[in-house]
């Protein structure tokens, strides 16, 4: 699926604030997002992407990565079925436990609520 402008805007703002991204060049986010989108168009692109993330990610940052993925998915006002399946795969491959993932997901929902309830 397409990464929305609100997801990119949220990602950029968050990368600027979180200590885990200290020193990361936010000008790269659009290019990296485009590369990820291209990779996802490949037959086994999702598996390849998750494998790359898993290989590069220290164990102590697995929950952080999952939290960031949940926030990106929720940043445009909701999480659709495709995003939910993707998050489930990410959770499984990063080995984030069910209790931790439920707390992370609920936190993402709470952070990205709108003032007006969705109908």
């Amino acid at each position: 699926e397409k990464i929305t402008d609100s997801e990119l805007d949220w990602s950029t703002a968050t990368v600027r604030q979180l200590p885990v991204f200290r020193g990361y060049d936010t000008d790269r986010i659009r290019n990296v997002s485009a590369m990820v989108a291209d990779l996802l168009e490949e037959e086994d692109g999702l598996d390849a992407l998750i494998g790359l993330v898993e290989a590069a990610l220290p164990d102590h940052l697995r929950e952080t990565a999952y939290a960031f993925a949940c926030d990106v998915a929720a940043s445009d006002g909701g999480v659709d079925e495709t995003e939910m399946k993707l998050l489930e795969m990410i959770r499984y491959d990063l080995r984030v436990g069910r209790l931790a993932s439920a707390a992370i997901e609920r936190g993402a929902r709470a952070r990205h609520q709108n003032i007006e309830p969705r109908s």
Side-chain angles (χ1 to χ4, degrees):
E1 296 282 327
K2 183 180 175 242
I3 298 170
T4 66
D5 286 339
S6 59
E7 289 171 334
L8 282 172
D9 292 344
W10 183 90
S11 297
T12 301
T14 302
V15 166
R16 286 185 177 128
Q17 294 177 357
L18 290 178
V20 73
F21 292 109
R22 192 169 290 127
Y24 185 82
D25 180 5
T26 57
D27 291 335
R28 296 182 58 211
I29 290 175
R30 285 204 182 269
N31 291 336
V32 170
S33 297
M35 288 188 307
V36 167
D38 289 344
L39 183 59
L40 291 177
E41 290 180 9
E42 299 295 324
E43 185 173 333
D44 293 325
L46 180 57
D47 290 334
L49 177 62
I50 291 174
L52 289 169
V53 170
E54 186 179 13
L57 195 64
D59 285 344
H60 73 281
L61 293 179
R62 291 179 186 278
E63 289 180 355
T64 303
Y66 186 66
F68 191 78
C70 288
D71 277 332
V72 170
S75 68
D76 61 357
V79 178
D80 64 29
E81 189 174 327
T82 303
E83 290 171 320
M84 287 178 12
K85 288 179 182 177
L86 176 60
L87 288 172
E88 184 179 337
M89 291 176 70
I90 292 170
R91 183 191 79 220
Y92 177 80
D93 287 340
L94 294 181
R95 296 181 303 282
V96 176
R98 287 188 183 267
L99 186 58
S101 66
I104 290 166
E105 291 159 8
R106 184 62 193 114
R109 271 194 307 273
R111 279 188 296 282
H112 295 281
Q113 287 292 317
N114 293 313
I115 291 176
E116 297 295 322
R118 294 180 77 182
S119 28

